[in-house]
Amino acid sequence: MTVEKNINTGTKEDIFPVSTVADSQDQTLLAIQNLRVWFELRKFGFGHAGYVRAVDGVNFRLRRGEAIGIVGESGCGKSSLMRTILGLHLPTKGDVIFNGTKVSEMGTKGLRWYRSQIGYVQQDPYGALPPFMPIQRILEEPLVIHGIRDKDEREKRIHKVFEEVKMTPVEDFLPKYPHMLSGGQQQRVVIARAMILEPKIIVADEPVSMLDASVRVEILRLLRGLQESHDLSVIYITHDLSTVRYFSERIFVMYAGNLVEKASVRQILDNPLHPYTHALMAATSDPDANNALTFKEVPPGEPPSLVTPPSGCRFHPRCSQFMEGVCEVEEPPDFEPEPGHQVACYLYQ
Ligand code: SF4
């Protein structure tokens, strides 16, 4: 039975069958398989001029109730990866698989449902909230779009989610406009809007980087509490290892469109392997001894062009451990020097 046929005739459960046996055994909720997201460059608006390889062969699995952090510099492709997971970009190749179903095969109706299963917390709360809408309407809109026609039901959901994000007394905040709230309160509204459709996954894009230091911890605690109470899976995207380690169970390090190291938080902090991970840790803003800064130098140079990335290992022009005749020849595959710790670097073959 094709997905399209199900959409036309079935209920939500028919459209999106429960996970395969394998998925339910390993608790995979979202699988990213060999994902490529390339954007075509056009010369003066016409004529092919190459591709921006924003995401270029990414693989990972997100389990139910798990929080992962994706860490990398600006321009490494993490925003394109995030937008593809949100269903806003189509994969050029490979798949995003939610609960056993390929997102690319869901069709229009299925895609709308899929988007309701993923809440999005933006980096800039003020920019994320429409300035001329009262908070009540901002929260009501996704409910209306997704077919909650009963006004009482909408009110009930809004009150419940506002209590969960600690915006009480609720009646005091609902008539206000975004500019009447502090940055921390605005971010709580953004989180409430992300939670209002009772999603299974939250994608949080640098959710505290634009907030005052004093409210960052509160917002991280709030997100962590919601994750636990709702058994949410969370994808936390950031450039800063100092916050991701308090939030995630596993960390994936992204460089020039690829994940170059995947491991538990403990493994990354105690035993970072990839030279780029060392560099990120050296650049972190939190000088905690647990960082184990064994790497003394931040590598020179800038992140590479995603249009013409370096051959072989994309990090090789900046790597102090570069091995001529090896590193620039072929892209390194993932090696697994210890269980659950994968690294794309020839030092560990
Ligand atoms: Fe450095 Fe070679 Fe490892 Fe790339 S593969 S990070 S160039 S040692």
Side-chain angles (χ1 to χ4, degrees), residues 27-65:
Q27 287 293 301
T28 298
L29 179 60
L30 188 80
I32 306 300
Q33 286 186 347
N34 199 21
L35 185 71
R36 286 185 178 172
V37 185
W38 291 11
F39 302 100
E40 190 177 16
L41 284 177
R42 311 286 293 175
K43 223 183 275 174
F44 307 114
F46 55 91
H48 176 74
Y51 293 98
V52 179
R53 302 167 190 210
V55 178
D56 206 14
V58 165
N59 290 285
F60 69 85
R61 283 170 180 262
L62 175 68
R63 295 188 284 264
R64 290 163 212 283

mmCIF file of all heavy atoms in Angstrom, residues 27-65:
data_model
loop_
_atom_site.group_PDB
_atom_site.id
_atom_site.type_symbol
_atom_site.label_atom_id
_atom_site.label_comp_id
_atom_site.label_asym_id
_atom_site.label_seq_id
_atom_site.Cartn_x
_atom_site.Cartn_y
_atom_site.Cartn_z
ATOM 1 N N GLN A 27 14.523 1.753 19.468
ATOM 2 C CA GLN A 27 13.879 3.001 19.899
ATOM 3 C C GLN A 27 14.207 4.182 18.980
ATOM 4 O O GLN A 27 14.195 5.334 19.413
ATOM 5 C CB GLN A 27 14.284 3.346 21.337
ATOM 6 C CG GLN A 27 13.644 2.458 22.378
ATOM 7 C CD GLN A 27 12.140 2.677 22.452
ATOM 8 O OE1 GLN A 27 11.672 3.785 22.708
ATOM 9 N NE2 GLN A 27 11.378 1.634 22.203
ATOM 10 N N THR A 28 14.524 3.915 17.716
ATOM 11 C CA THR A 28 14.799 5.008 16.793
ATOM 12 C C THR A 28 13.512 5.744 16.449
ATOM 13 O O THR A 28 12.540 5.122 16.041
ATOM 14 C CB THR A 28 15.442 4.471 15.498
ATOM 15 O OG1 THR A 28 16.669 3.857 15.832
ATOM 16 C CG2 THR A 28 15.696 5.593 14.504
ATOM 17 N N LEU A 29 13.529 7.055 16.623
ATOM 18 C CA LEU A 29 12.378 7.862 16.215
ATOM 19 C C LEU A 29 12.659 8.542 14.878
ATOM 20 O O LEU A 29 11.800 8.612 14.012
ATOM 21 C CB LEU A 29 12.085 8.918 17.295
ATOM 22 C CG LEU A 29 10.922 9.854 17.019
ATOM 23 C CD1 LEU A 29 9.609 9.076 16.864
ATOM 24 C CD2 LEU A 29 10.772 10.882 18.131
ATOM 25 N N LEU A 30 13.891 9.044 14.723
ATOM 26 C CA LEU A 30 14.268 9.746 13.494
ATOM 27 C C LEU A 30 15.587 9.161 12.994
ATOM 28 O O LEU A 30 16.538 9.043 13.763
ATOM 29 C CB LEU A 30 14.452 11.235 13.792
ATOM 30 C CG LEU A 30 14.672 12.136 12.594
ATOM 31 C CD1 LEU A 30 13.337 12.448 11.905
ATOM 32 C CD2 LEU A 30 15.322 13.447 13.021
ATOM 33 N N ALA A 31 15.602 8.785 11.716
ATOM 34 C CA ALA A 31 16.850 8.274 11.129
ATOM 35 C C ALA A 31 17.245 9.181 9.960
ATOM 36 O O ALA A 31 16.412 9.485 9.101
ATOM 37 C CB ALA A 31 16.661 6.838 10.646
ATOM 38 N N ILE A 32 18.483 9.619 9.967
ATOM 39 C CA ILE A 32 19.025 10.413 8.865
ATOM 40 C C ILE A 32 19.982 9.492 8.126
ATOM 41 O O ILE A 32 20.966 9.025 8.699
ATOM 42 C CB ILE A 32 19.793 11.652 9.405
ATOM 43 C CG1 ILE A 32 18.910 12.476 10.353
ATOM 44 C CG2 ILE A 32 20.332 12.501 8.265
ATOM 45 C CD1 ILE A 32 17.657 13.020 9.743
ATOM 46 N N GLN A 33 19.664 9.233 6.851
ATOM 47 C CA GLN A 33 20.435 8.228 6.114
ATOM 48 C C GLN A 33 21.104 8.830 4.884
ATOM 49 O O GLN A 33 20.413 9.300 3.972
ATOM 50 C CB GLN A 33 19.519 7.079 5.669
ATOM 51 C CG GLN A 33 19.144 6.183 6.837
ATOM 52 C CD GLN A 33 18.362 4.963 6.399
ATOM 53 O OE1 GLN A 33 17.882 4.877 5.278
ATOM 54 N NE2 GLN A 33 18.193 4.022 7.309
ATOM 55 N N ASN A 34 22.429 8.840 4.926
ATOM 56 C CA ASN A 34 23.229 9.293 3.787
ATOM 57 C C ASN A 34 22.683 10.598 3.185
ATOM 58 O O ASN A 34 22.546 10.736 1.976
ATOM 59 C CB ASN A 34 23.269 8.194 2.717
ATOM 60 C CG ASN A 34 24.431 8.405 1.770
ATOM 61 O OD1 ASN A 34 25.392 9.093 2.114
ATOM 62 N ND2 ASN A 34 24.327 7.859 0.573
ATOM 63 N N LEU A 35 22.365 11.544 4.042
ATOM 64 C CA LEU A 35 21.651 12.752 3.614
ATOM 65 C C LEU A 35 22.573 13.756 2.925
ATOM 66 O O LEU A 35 23.627 14.107 3.440
ATOM 67 C CB LEU A 35 20.992 13.420 4.831
ATOM 68 C CG LEU A 35 20.115 14.627 4.515
ATOM 69 C CD1 LEU A 35 18.840 14.200 3.812
ATOM 70 C CD2 LEU A 35 19.775 15.399 5.781
ATOM 71 N N ARG A 36 22.126 14.192 1.745
ATOM 72 C CA ARG A 36 22.807 15.283 1.044
ATOM 73 C C ARG A 36 21.808 16.387 0.786
ATOM 74 O O ARG A 36 20.696 16.113 0.321
ATOM 75 C CB ARG A 36 23.349 14.810 -0.299
ATOM 76 C CG ARG A 36 24.555 13.949 -0.145
ATOM 77 C CD ARG A 36 25.129 13.599 -1.480
ATOM 78 N NE ARG A 36 26.312 12.802 -1.279
ATOM 79 C CZ ARG A 36 26.982 12.206 -2.252
ATOM 80 N NH1 ARG A 36 26.575 12.332 -3.491
ATOM 81 N NH2 ARG A 36 28.040 11.495 -1.991
ATOM 82 N N VAL A 37 22.211 17.608 1.077
ATOM 83 C CA VAL A 37 21.389 18.772 0.719
ATOM 84 C C VAL A 37 22.309 19.728 -0.025
ATOM 85 O O VAL A 37 23.200 20.347 0.562
ATOM 86 C CB VAL A 37 20.795 19.456 1.979
ATOM 87 C CG1 VAL A 37 19.846 20.578 1.569
ATOM 88 C CG2 VAL A 37 20.068 18.449 2.860
ATOM 89 N N TRP A 38 22.120 19.788 -1.319
ATOM 90 C CA TRP A 38 22.942 20.641 -2.176
ATOM 91 C C TRP A 38 22.045 21.729 -2.773
ATOM 92 O O TRP A 38 20.882 21.488 -3.078
ATOM 93 C CB TRP A 38 23.551 19.849 -3.337
ATOM 94 C CG TRP A 38 24.606 18.853 -2.950
ATOM 95 C CD1 TRP A 38 24.930 18.426 -1.693
ATOM 96 C CD2 TRP A 38 25.483 18.166 -3.844
ATOM 97 N NE1 TRP A 38 25.943 17.513 -1.745
ATOM 98 C CE2 TRP A 38 26.304 17.327 -3.065
ATOM 99 C CE3 TRP A 38 25.651 18.176 -5.220
ATOM 100 C CZ2 TRP A 38 27.279 16.510 -3.625
ATOM 101 C CZ3 TRP A 38 26.623 17.348 -5.783
ATOM 102 C CH2 TRP A 38 27.438 16.533 -4.984
ATOM 103 N N PHE A 39 22.614 22.921 -2.934
ATOM 104 C CA PHE A 39 21.884 24.027 -3.567
ATOM 105 C C PHE A 39 22.625 24.427 -4.841
ATOM 106 O O PHE A 39 23.844 24.618 -4.809
ATOM 107 C CB PHE A 39 21.799 25.228 -2.619
ATOM 108 C CG PHE A 39 21.119 24.898 -1.307
ATOM 109 C CD1 PHE A 39 21.867 24.648 -0.170
ATOM 110 C CD2 PHE A 39 19.743 24.806 -1.233
ATOM 111 C CE1 PHE A 39 21.257 24.326 1.025
ATOM 112 C CE2 PHE A 39 19.118 24.487 -0.043
ATOM 113 C CZ PHE A 39 19.872 24.246 1.092
ATOM 114 N N GLU A 40 21.872 24.569 -5.929
ATOM 115 C CA GLU A 40 22.510 24.915 -7.201
ATOM 116 C C GLU A 40 22.849 26.407 -7.245
ATOM 117 O O GLU A 40 22.050 27.248 -6.816
ATOM 118 C CB GLU A 40 21.579 24.563 -8.373
ATOM 119 C CG GLU A 40 22.303 24.686 -9.692
ATOM 120 C CD GLU A 40 21.439 24.288 -10.869
ATOM 121 O OE1 GLU A 40 20.206 24.210 -10.708
ATOM 122 O OE2 GLU A 40 22.008 24.073 -11.957
ATOM 123 N N LEU A 41 24.045 26.723 -7.725
ATOM 124 C CA LEU A 41 24.440 28.119 -7.942
ATOM 125 C C LEU A 41 24.170 28.469 -9.394
ATOM 126 O O LEU A 41 24.507 27.690 -10.294
ATOM 127 C CB LEU A 41 25.934 28.296 -7.666
ATOM 128 C CG LEU A 41 26.387 28.331 -6.211
ATOM 129 C CD1 LEU A 41 27.908 28.451 -6.170
ATOM 130 C CD2 LEU A 41 25.755 29.475 -5.468
ATOM 131 N N ARG A 42 23.554 29.644 -9.629
ATOM 132 C CA ARG A 42 23.278 30.076 -10.998
ATOM 133 C C ARG A 42 24.087 31.335 -11.294
ATOM 134 O O ARG A 42 24.137 32.261 -10.482
ATOM 135 C CB ARG A 42 21.778 30.400 -11.191
ATOM 136 C CG ARG A 42 20.826 29.357 -10.682
ATOM 137 C CD ARG A 42 20.761 28.128 -11.532
ATOM 138 N NE ARG A 42 20.181 28.373 -12.836
ATOM 139 C CZ ARG A 42 20.116 27.455 -13.797
ATOM 140 N NH1 ARG A 42 20.588 26.241 -13.579
ATOM 141 N NH2 ARG A 42 19.574 27.737 -14.960
ATOM 142 N N LYS A 43 24.736 31.351 -12.466
ATOM 143 C CA LYS A 43 25.527 32.504 -12.873
ATOM 144 C C LYS A 43 24.594 33.591 -13.408
ATOM 145 O O LYS A 43 23.856 33.341 -14.353
ATOM 146 C CB LYS A 43 26.484 32.071 -13.982
ATOM 147 C CG LYS A 43 27.892 32.621 -13.836
ATOM 148 C CD LYS A 43 28.740 32.212 -15.012
ATOM 149 C CE LYS A 43 29.347 30.843 -14.815
ATOM 150 N NZ LYS A 43 30.072 30.339 -15.970
ATOM 151 N N PHE A 44 24.597 34.770 -12.785
ATOM 152 C CA PHE A 44 23.722 35.884 -13.187
ATOM 153 C C PHE A 44 22.269 35.435 -13.355
ATOM 154 O O PHE A 44 21.556 35.866 -14.260
ATOM 155 C CB PHE A 44 24.208 36.530 -14.497
ATOM 156 C CG PHE A 44 25.643 36.937 -14.448
ATOM 157 C CD1 PHE A 44 26.591 36.324 -15.239
ATOM 158 C CD2 PHE A 44 26.046 37.929 -13.569
ATOM 159 C CE1 PHE A 44 27.917 36.681 -15.176
ATOM 160 C CE2 PHE A 44 27.379 38.301 -13.511
ATOM 161 C CZ PHE A 44 28.317 37.687 -14.301
ATOM 162 N N GLY A 45 21.847 34.530 -12.527
ATOM 163 C CA GLY A 45 20.443 34.095 -12.556
ATOM 164 C C GLY A 45 20.198 32.956 -13.531
ATOM 165 O O GLY A 45 19.132 32.370 -13.543
ATOM 166 N N PHE A 46 21.144 32.671 -14.420
ATOM 167 C CA PHE A 46 20.950 31.525 -15.328
ATOM 168 C C PHE A 46 22.329 30.916 -15.586
ATOM 169 O O PHE A 46 23.361 31.548 -15.402
ATOM 170 C CB PHE A 46 20.285 31.956 -16.643
ATOM 171 C CG PHE A 46 21.018 33.048 -17.352
ATOM 172 C CD1 PHE A 46 22.001 32.755 -18.293
ATOM 173 C CD2 PHE A 46 20.737 34.384 -17.066
ATOM 174 C CE1 PHE A 46 22.684 33.765 -18.934
ATOM 175 C CE2 PHE A 46 21.432 35.397 -17.711
ATOM 176 C CZ PHE A 46 22.398 35.093 -18.645
ATOM 177 N N GLY A 47 22.345 29.682 -15.996
ATOM 178 C CA GLY A 47 23.621 28.997 -16.246
ATOM 179 C C GLY A 47 24.154 28.375 -14.967
ATOM 180 O O GLY A 47 24.314 29.053 -13.957
ATOM 181 N N HIS A 48 24.396 27.087 -15.030
ATOM 182 C CA HIS A 48 24.850 26.341 -13.859
ATOM 183 C C HIS A 48 26.261 26.777 -13.453
ATOM 184 O O HIS A 48 27.150 26.881 -14.282
ATOM 185 C CB HIS A 48 24.833 24.842 -14.209
ATOM 186 C CG HIS A 48 25.366 23.979 -13.125
ATOM 187 N ND1 HIS A 48 24.659 23.709 -11.979
ATOM 188 C CD2 HIS A 48 26.562 23.329 -13.000
ATOM 189 C CE1 HIS A 48 25.388 22.910 -11.203
ATOM 190 N NE2 HIS A 48 26.536 22.676 -11.804
ATOM 191 N N ALA A 49 26.463 27.035 -12.161
ATOM 192 C CA ALA A 49 27.785 27.468 -11.693
ATOM 193 C C ALA A 49 28.248 26.637 -10.503
ATOM 194 O O ALA A 49 29.030 27.101 -9.690
ATOM 195 C CB ALA A 49 27.733 28.953 -11.328
ATOM 196 N N GLY A 50 27.741 25.432 -10.388
ATOM 197 C CA GLY A 50 28.185 24.551 -9.304
ATOM 198 C C GLY A 50 27.117 24.366 -8.235
ATOM 199 O O GLY A 50 25.966 24.813 -8.397
ATOM 200 N N TYR A 51 27.509 23.685 -7.163
ATOM 201 C CA TYR A 51 26.578 23.417 -6.060
ATOM 202 C C TYR A 51 27.199 23.826 -4.727
ATOM 203 O O TYR A 51 28.405 23.653 -4.523
ATOM 204 C CB TYR A 51 26.267 21.916 -5.971
ATOM 205 C CG TYR A 51 25.474 21.393 -7.150
ATOM 206 C CD1 TYR A 51 26.124 20.749 -8.194
ATOM 207 C CD2 TYR A 51 24.093 21.542 -7.198
ATOM 208 C CE1 TYR A 51 25.402 20.256 -9.276
ATOM 209 C CE2 TYR A 51 23.381 21.061 -8.277
ATOM 210 C CZ TYR A 51 24.029 20.423 -9.310
ATOM 211 O OH TYR A 51 23.310 19.952 -10.369
ATOM 212 N N VAL A 52 26.371 24.321 -3.833
ATOM 213 C CA VAL A 52 26.781 24.489 -2.437
ATOM 214 C C VAL A 52 26.420 23.182 -1.740
ATOM 215 O O VAL A 52 25.244 22.834 -1.624
ATOM 216 C CB VAL A 52 26.037 25.666 -1.760
ATOM 217 C CG1 VAL A 52 26.472 25.792 -0.299
ATOM 218 C CG2 VAL A 52 26.248 26.957 -2.509
ATOM 219 N N ARG A 53 27.435 22.451 -1.296
ATOM 220 C CA ARG A 53 27.196 21.135 -0.675
ATOM 221 C C ARG A 53 27.026 21.338 0.832
ATOM 222 O O ARG A 53 27.919 21.032 1.624
ATOM 223 C CB ARG A 53 28.367 20.212 -0.961
ATOM 224 C CG ARG A 53 28.591 20.047 -2.447
ATOM 225 C CD ARG A 53 29.919 19.391 -2.717
ATOM 226 N NE ARG A 53 30.191 19.461 -4.141
ATOM 227 C CZ ARG A 53 30.907 18.563 -4.789
ATOM 228 N NH1 ARG A 53 31.431 17.532 -4.157
ATOM 229 N NH2 ARG A 53 31.114 18.703 -6.077
ATOM 230 N N ALA A 54 25.865 21.856 1.212
ATOM 231 C CA ALA A 54 25.650 22.260 2.610
ATOM 232 C C ALA A 54 25.662 21.061 3.549
ATOM 233 O O ALA A 54 26.179 21.126 4.661
ATOM 234 C CB ALA A 54 24.332 23.016 2.715
ATOM 235 N N VAL A 55 25.031 19.968 3.120
ATOM 236 C CA VAL A 55 25.033 18.721 3.894
ATOM 237 C C VAL A 55 25.459 17.647 2.908
ATOM 238 O O VAL A 55 24.909 17.555 1.807
ATOM 239 C CB VAL A 55 23.622 18.411 4.451
ATOM 240 C CG1 VAL A 55 23.620 17.091 5.217
ATOM 241 C CG2 VAL A 55 23.126 19.548 5.336
ATOM 242 N N ASP A 56 26.456 16.843 3.295
ATOM 243 C CA ASP A 56 27.056 15.985 2.275
ATOM 244 C C ASP A 56 27.378 14.588 2.810
ATOM 245 O O ASP A 56 28.532 14.248 3.032
ATOM 246 C CB ASP A 56 28.332 16.671 1.746
ATOM 247 C CG ASP A 56 28.666 16.226 0.333
ATOM 248 O OD1 ASP A 56 27.807 15.618 -0.320
ATOM 249 O OD2 ASP A 56 29.791 16.489 -0.119
ATOM 250 N N GLY A 57 26.334 13.827 3.057
ATOM 251 C CA GLY A 57 26.546 12.442 3.494
ATOM 252 C C GLY A 57 26.432 12.256 4.985
ATOM 253 O O GLY A 57 27.297 11.637 5.601
ATOM 254 N N VAL A 58 25.359 12.788 5.584
ATOM 255 C CA VAL A 58 25.194 12.714 7.047
ATOM 256 C C VAL A 58 24.326 11.514 7.423
ATOM 257 O O VAL A 58 23.304 11.247 6.797
ATOM 258 C CB VAL A 58 24.566 14.037 7.571
ATOM 259 C CG1 VAL A 58 24.036 13.874 8.991
ATOM 260 C CG2 VAL A 58 25.595 15.160 7.519
ATOM 261 N N ASN A 59 24.782 10.782 8.446
ATOM 262 C CA ASN A 59 24.037 9.626 8.979
ATOM 263 C C ASN A 59 23.949 9.735 10.491
ATOM 264 O O ASN A 59 24.961 9.971 11.142
ATOM 265 C CB ASN A 59 24.788 8.323 8.677
ATOM 266 C CG ASN A 59 24.768 7.989 7.214
ATOM 267 O OD1 ASN A 59 23.757 7.557 6.680
ATOM 268 N ND2 ASN A 59 25.889 8.205 6.554
ATOM 269 N N PHE A 60 22.760 9.584 11.049
ATOM 270 C CA PHE A 60 22.626 9.374 12.494
ATOM 271 C C PHE A 60 21.213 8.926 12.819
ATOM 272 O O PHE A 60 20.308 9.007 11.989
ATOM 273 C CB PHE A 60 23.028 10.619 13.311
ATOM 274 C CG PHE A 60 22.116 11.805 13.220
ATOM 275 C CD1 PHE A 60 20.988 11.912 14.036
ATOM 276 C CD2 PHE A 60 22.380 12.846 12.338
ATOM 277 C CE1 PHE A 60 20.151 13.017 13.956
ATOM 278 C CE2 PHE A 60 21.557 13.961 12.251
ATOM 279 C CZ PHE A 60 20.441 14.039 13.070
ATOM 280 N N ARG A 61 21.047 8.422 14.039
ATOM 281 C CA ARG A 61 19.729 8.025 14.532
ATOM 282 C C ARG A 61 19.447 8.752 15.828
ATOM 283 O O ARG A 61 20.338 8.893 16.662
ATOM 284 C CB ARG A 61 19.684 6.515 14.798
ATOM 285 C CG ARG A 61 19.556 5.712 13.531
ATOM 286 C CD ARG A 61 19.762 4.238 13.766
ATOM 287 N NE ARG A 61 19.630 3.551 12.502
ATOM 288 C CZ ARG A 61 18.523 2.948 12.087
ATOM 289 N NH1 ARG A 61 17.457 2.914 12.872
ATOM 290 N NH2 ARG A 61 18.459 2.380 10.909
ATOM 291 N N LEU A 62 18.220 9.198 15.968
ATOM 292 C CA LEU A 62 17.781 9.855 17.201
ATOM 293 C C LEU A 62 16.767 8.942 17.877
ATOM 294 O O LEU A 62 15.766 8.560 17.277
ATOM 295 C CB LEU A 62 17.131 11.200 16.842
ATOM 296 C CG LEU A 62 16.503 11.996 17.981
ATOM 297 C CD1 LEU A 62 17.570 12.521 18.937
ATOM 298 C CD2 LEU A 62 15.702 13.185 17.419
ATOM 299 N N ARG A 63 17.046 8.587 19.129
ATOM 300 C CA ARG A 63 16.140 7.678 19.838
ATOM 301 C C ARG A 63 15.016 8.452 20.516
ATOM 302 O O ARG A 63 15.141 9.654 20.766
ATOM 303 C CB ARG A 63 16.927 6.887 20.888
ATOM 304 C CG ARG A 63 17.956 5.957 20.280
ATOM 305 C CD ARG A 63 18.566 5.056 21.332
ATOM 306 N NE ARG A 63 19.530 5.771 22.139
ATOM 307 C CZ ARG A 63 20.846 5.776 21.923
ATOM 308 N NH1 ARG A 63 21.352 5.097 20.923
ATOM 309 N NH2 ARG A 63 21.666 6.439 22.708
ATOM 310 N N ARG A 64 13.955 7.747 20.839
ATOM 311 C CA ARG A 64 12.850 8.377 21.585
ATOM 312 C C ARG A 64 13.356 8.856 22.932
ATOM 313 O O ARG A 64 14.035 8.118 23.640
ATOM 314 C CB ARG A 64 11.741 7.353 21.836
ATOM 315 C CG ARG A 64 10.997 6.961 20.610
ATOM 316 C CD ARG A 64 10.215 5.682 20.823
ATOM 317 N NE ARG A 64 10.156 4.950 19.566
ATOM 318 C CZ ARG A 64 9.359 5.270 18.561
ATOM 319 N NH1 ARG A 64 8.501 6.261 18.688
ATOM 320 N NH2 ARG A 64 9.384 4.597 17.429
ATOM 321 N N GLY A 65 13.045 10.104 23.273
ATOM 322 C CA GLY A 65 13.424 10.635 24.580
ATOM 323 C C GLY A 65 14.883 11.022 24.708
ATOM 324 O O GLY A 65 15.333 11.413 25.772
#
